[in-house]
Amino acid sequence: MRGHDRINACLPDEVILEIFRHFDSKVSRDACSLVCKRWLTLERLSRTTLRIGASGSPDLFVKLLARRFVNVKNIHIDERLSISLPVQLGKRRGSDQLALSSPKLQYVSEISGSEEGQVESYCLSDAGLTALAEGFSKLEKLSLIWCSNISSVGLMSLAYKCIYLKSLDLQGCYVGDQGLSAVGKCCKQLEDLNLRFCEGLTDTGLVDLALGCGKSLKSIGVAACVKITDVSLEAVGSHCKSLETLSLDSEFIHNKGVLAVAQGCPHLKVLKLQCVNVTDEALIAVGTRCLSLELLALNSFQQFTDMGLSAIGNGCKKLKNLTLSDCYFLSDKGLEAIAAGCKELAHLEVNGCHNIGTLGLESIGQSCQSLTELALLYCQRIGNSALLLVGRGCKFLQALHLVDCSNIGDEGIGSIARGCQNLKKLHIRRCYKIGNKGIVAVGENCKSLTELSLRFCDRVGDEALIAIGQGCSLKHLNVSGCHQIGDAGIIAIARGCPQLNYLDVSVLQNLGDMAMAELGEGCPLLKDIVLSHCRQITDIGLAHLVKNCTMLESCHMVYCPGITAVGVATVVSSCINIKKVMVEKWKVSQRTRRRAGSVISYLCIDL
């Protein structure tokens, strides 16, 4: 019978709530809430997570959300993000109250002629944080990213009200010691704490926090806090016995602090250091004491040598993930020690360590059979023979990243292709010895490859992409700056990779409308495309592309002389899901601008 509600009559609230919990997308949840008043109420009850960007009146917005969503436990607020609010705060039909329809545009218009006090109203304040604490007393996870108006006053209110808090991210917030001390005093279940770029903190706040809730803390991140020194780390080592993750980026941390953590935190699993004043002495202590270490990232170590890395290899047998970035005094010997001792190594990144060469990586290939991801960036001394042994020994390799490795060519890539046939991701940039032969081998052997990036590889041409199109089902392809690639290569991809959803063909001077037409026919799932600096693509090719690519969300087409205002209008009108179009301003007609709204982005205002 028409109009008869069978679902609501049969299903109790508990069943509908359970169905709502299985929806991953916000769009699906929002759609369900529009069915009827009952579903609207239940959908609000089922929400446990909220993400909030920079809104026109954030304090009022937080109060509104607190009334509507009473079971929220996770809140993420990032004032770097703009949001569009379809809701009108407290407004019913016929009311004259202010609506927040497009906060980002409002912010821009207000700034142009506003005083400083007006601009600050667009940031979450202590009053807003207090309202958040009162409205969401069950809160367990809170992220306040770059909320510059938050101070210790708001943080103290939060600490007193939200005693069940387990995770707190204060990145970029200028909070002081009093607020952090209150968190330590009240939030006894706190496990994760991020203090990156909290410039107002000193040792006093972090020491008080360690004393208050050190027993529960498992993760701490500190970066660019110039007043936090070894004193804080000594408190962490003394009171945070369950600590598992520590991330430090500071010029004011020395061996003394890291030694205290190594001695006091035996369960440490993740250690990320960017501390130029830490030496081998601290790393030796980590290798000796932290036997459960699984991830180690060493960045910009000026005083770190093979002795420290050898200690890690000798002691940390469970190490699975190692990143070495700009460690200028490391050589092959350090990497050989890692290979000999860390047989479970699965991820290795070597970035700008100019003294690490072929021998070090050969030892990894021979000993670390569990390796699944390898990244070599700016490694001029690593050659083909290293990848030959990696191909022979690391059969489970799934991702390979190469950037500016001038001694690696087709022979090395061919060895990887033949030996690592489970490869899923291959990213290569500015490796000028790699050409068609190596990429053809990938197409013939790596049938599971879904992501391929060949940026500015001058020797790669259509032959390579034809082999990829015949052998792989790509979802992601970036061939930006590969000048030898033209229509033939992209047509092969269009015909062989129907699952493709991302394509960057920028700076391809030989690419024309024929390839665009084939992409429109063969890749209906395409969501993001970059066409910038493609001089031969015209409005005709663009029209063929968007005719069938109805899921397109992003299109960059700057410096394409063949694309006019007609082509821009075609993209905007044909793609109902379009979210971003980057183009020169003069190519956007008034009608397109009215229709597109905030979808249009300009590279430069005068273009």
Side-chain angles (χ1 to χ4, degrees):
M1 181 185 299
R2 184 178 179 182
H4 184 66
D5 189 350
R6 297 182 181 275
I7 296 178
N8 278 323
C10 300
L11 296 181
D13 289 351
E14 293 79 8
V15 174
I16 297 178
L17 284 170
E18 185 62 27
I19 294 173
F20 286 165
R21 291 189 184 99
H22 285 76
F23 289 138
D24 293 329
S25 74
K26 180 179 179 300
V27 175
S28 299
R29 284 178 167 272
D30 289 342
C32 289
S33 69
L34 297 175
V35 171
C36 61
K37 289 184 178 180
R38 181 193 181 202
W39 283 30
L40 174 63
T41 302
L42 292 175
E43 194 280 327
R44 288 177 176 178
L45 290 174
S46 70
R47 293 263 180 150
T48 59
T49 300
L50 294 176
R51 296 180 64 88
I52 305 172
S55 60
S57 187
D59 292 351
L60 183 60
F61 188 43
V62 165
K63 293 178 182 179
L64 173 66
L65 292 175
R67 292 198 302 267
R68 291 185 176 181
F69 305 104
V70 297
N71 291 323
V72 167
K73 295 183 179 180
N74 306 320
I75 296 180
H76 181 95
I77 301 176
D78 190 342
E79 292 196 350
R80 298 171 301 178
L81 305 177
S82 63
I83 57 172
S84 295
L85 299 176
V87 297
Q88 297 180 343
L89 301 187
K91 180 177 179 181
R92 298 183 181 274
R93 291 182 181 178
S95 173
D96 294 328
Q97 294 183 12
L98 176 66
L100 298 179
S101 58
S102 184
K104 183 176 182 180
L105 296 178
Q106 286 185 358
Y107 182 79
V108 173
S109 62
E110 289 290 336
I111 283 181
S112 60
S114 67
E115 298 295 332
E116 183 177 354
Q118 289 176 294
V119 175
E120 289 181 352
S121 68
Y122 289 89
C123 300
L124 184 71
S125 68
D126 288 332
L129 190 57
T130 300
L132 184 147
E134 292 174 349
F136 300 102
S137 58
K138 301 176 183 178
L139 201 63
E140 295 181 359
K141 184 176 181 180
L142 175 63
S143 296
L144 301 172
I145 309 298
W146 296 104
C147 296
S148 54
N149 273 15
I150 297 297
S151 69
S152 288
V153 176
L155 193 57
M156 290 169 67
S157 299
L158 176 77
Y160 294 142
K161 297 288 185 179
C162 301
I163 60 175
Y164 302 109
L165 203 63
K166 293 182 179 181
S167 177
L168 180 61
D169 190 340
L170 298 173
Q171 179 172 317
C173 298
Y174 201 84
V175 295
D177 294 332
Q178 288 182 321
L180 203 60
S181 298
V183 171
K185 180 180 178 181
C186 302
C187 304
K188 299 298 184 180
Q189 299 180 35
L190 191 67
E191 297 180 357
D192 302 320
L193 178 65
N194 183 11
L195 302 176
R196 293 174 60 83
F197 306 105
C198 295
E199 299 176 358
L201 292 176
T202 71
D203 286 328
T204 301
L206 192 50
V207 169
D208 286 348
L209 182 125
L211 288 170
C213 60
K215 291 182 179 180
S216 63
L217 269 179
K218 294 183 179 181
S219 175
I220 299 177
V222 176
C225 302
V226 296
K227 297 177 183 178
I228 290 182
T229 67
D230 293 330
V231 174
S232 294
L233 292 190
E234 288 179 321
V236 169
S238 298
H239 302 286
C240 304
K241 301 298 183 182
S242 299
L243 193 70
E244 296 180 356
T245 300
L246 178 63
S247 178
L248 296 175
D249 180 356
S250 174
E251 299 178 8
F252 303 94
I253 301 294
H254 299 78
N255 285 337
K256 187 177 181 181
V258 180
L259 284 169
V261 172
Q263 293 169 358
C265 306
H267 303 294
L268 198 67
K269 294 181 180 180
V270 177
L271 180 60
K272 300 178 181 180
L273 296 177
Q274 187 165 340
C275 306
V276 295
N277 292 313
V278 173
T279 68
D280 285 334
E281 181 183 0
L283 267 296
I284 291 172
V286 171
T288 304
R289 302 268 186 171
C290 304
L291 304 184
S292 298
L293 196 69
E294 296 180 0
L295 185 151
L296 177 63
L298 304 174
N299 302 288
S300 301
F301 264 57
Q302 308 294 331
Q303 305 180 49
F304 177 45
T305 70
D306 292 330
M307 184 182 298
L309 196 58
S310 296
I312 297 295
N314 292 333
C316 303
K317 304 297 185 182
K318 297 181 180 180
L319 192 69
K320 293 181 174 64
N321 190 314
L322 176 63
T323 298
L324 304 172
S325 180
D326 296 325
C327 300
Y328 302 127
F329 298 106
L330 282 180
S331 71
D332 291 332
K333 291 183 179 180
L335 209 54
E336 288 171 353
I338 292 292
C342 306
K343 304 292 187 181
E344 297 181 17
L345 192 70
H347 173 101
L348 174 63
E349 177 179 333
V350 181
N351 183 351
C353 301
H354 303 303
N355 289 317
I356 291 180
T358 298
L359 291 177
L361 194 59
E362 284 180 345
S363 62
I364 295 292
Q366 291 173 330
S367 302
C368 301
Q369 298 181 3
S370 299
L371 196 70
T372 58
E373 185 166 8
L374 175 63
L376 304 175
L377 294 81
Y378 312 102
C379 297
Q380 309 295 339
R381 298 184 59 189
I382 295 179
N384 288 322
S385 60
L387 292 194
L388 175 63
L389 291 183
V390 170
R392 288 178 180 174
C394 306
K395 301 296 184 181
F396 300 105
L397 192 72
Q398 295 183 11
L400 176 63
H401 307 265
L402 301 175
V403 177
D404 277 350
C405 295
S406 57
N407 286 317
I408 293 178
D410 288 334
E411 183 181 352
I413 296 299
S415 299
I416 292 292
R418 289 185 289 273
C420 308
Q421 298 188 8
N422 293 315
L423 198 68
K424 295 180 180 179
K425 298 180 183 180
L426 178 60
H427 292 188
I428 302 173
R429 187 175 73 195
R430 291 197 301 269
C431 295
Y432 301 118
K433 290 187 177 180
I434 296 175
N436 288 331
K437 185 177 179 181
I439 305 304
V440 167
V442 171
E444 292 174 347
N445 294 279
C446 303
K447 305 300 182 181
S448 299
L449 193 74
T450 57
E451 289 190 23
L452 177 63
S453 179
L454 303 168
R455 298 179 60 192
F456 298 96
C457 296
D458 291 341
R459 296 181 58 215
V460 175
D462 290 332
E463 181 185 351
L465 288 198
I466 290 172
I468 293 293
Q470 293 174 347
C472 310
S473 183
L474 294 184
K475 295 181 179 179
H476 178 114
L477 176 63
N478 187 338
V479 288
S480 174
C482 297
H483 302 298
Q484 294 191 36
I485 292 177
D487 284 343
I490 299 301
I491 288 173
I493 293 295
R495 294 176 178 176
C497 304
Q499 301 296 317
L500 194 71
N501 57 54
Y502 177 92
L503 177 64
D504 187 341
V505 290
S506 56
V507 205
L508 297 192
Q509 304 301 325
N510 298 319
L511 194 67
D513 291 340
M514 187 176 295
M516 294 299 101
E518 290 283 350
L519 285 169
E521 290 292 332
C523 302
L525 302 181
L526 197 64
K527 290 185 177 181
D528 303 283
I529 189 166
V530 183
L531 305 172
S532 299
H533 297 270
C534 292
R535 306 185 67 83
Q536 296 188 34
I537 296 176
T538 70
D539 294 340
I540 296 174
L542 206 56
H544 283 292
L545 174 71
V546 300
K547 182 178 180 181
N548 293 317
C549 295
T550 56
M551 298 180 66
L552 201 66
E553 297 180 357
S554 171
C555 182
H556 293 212
M557 43 188 173
V558 177
Y559 299 124
C560 298
I563 295 177
T564 68
V566 175
V568 177
T570 300
V571 172
V572 172
S573 61
S574 301
C575 305
I576 59 174
N577 296 313
I578 198 73
K579 296 178 181 178
K580 183 176 182 180
V581 176
M582 180 168 280
V583 69
E584 295 92 330
K585 188 174 184 179
W586 61 270
K587 291 184 179 180
V588 183
S589 67
Q590 289 294 333
R591 181 179 181 182
T592 301
R593 188 176 291 112
R594 288 194 300 268
R595 181 167 188 166
S598 59
V599 164
I600 303 290
S601 298
Y602 308 113
L603 183 64
C604 175
I605 194 168
D606 292 324
L607 286 177

